[in-house]
Amino acid sequence: MKKFYPTLILLIMVSQSFSQESGRTFIRNFPPEEFKAATQNWNVIQDKRGILYFSNIEGLLEYDGVSWR
């Protein structure tokens, strides 16, 4: 019975490590051709609706999660 406990603990630890996410955040890089502006952004803010605003060298960019304006 004593040999069973270390094996059980090891199996639980291994199954827990496979069930958890890797902890990496999803990052998507947009090329300037996609948002049609300069490559340098200065600030970003999100409003209550979830719209993102970027201050860019060429002006203000708006991103709603689907398209750029």
Side-chain angles (χ1 to χ4, degrees):
M1 192 70 167
K2 285 188 174 189
K3 290 184 179 183
F4 178 71
Y5 287 119
T7 306
L8 179 63
I9 292 171
L10 180 64
L11 286 172
I12 291 171
M13 289 173 53
V14 169
S15 68
Q16 289 293 323
S17 67
F18 285 114
S19 66
Q20 295 177 358
E21 293 182 23
S22 64
R24 297 181 187 153
T25 52
F26 177 73
I27 297 174
R28 176 161 181 226
N29 294 315
F30 293 93
E33 298 81 28
E34 190 167 347
F35 57 84
K36 297 179 178 81
T39 58
Q40 193 171 32
N41 295 309
W42 292 98
N43 291 310
V44 64
I45 192 167
Q46 186 174 17
D47 70 8
K48 293 177 184 178
R49 300 172 297 159
I51 307 270
L52 295 169
Y53 298 93
F54 297 84
S55 61
N56 188 282
I57 292 174
E58 295 182 4
L60 184 66
L61 300 171
E62 180 182 299
Y63 183 66
D64 62 6
V66 178
S67 60
W68 290 92
R69 285 185 286 284

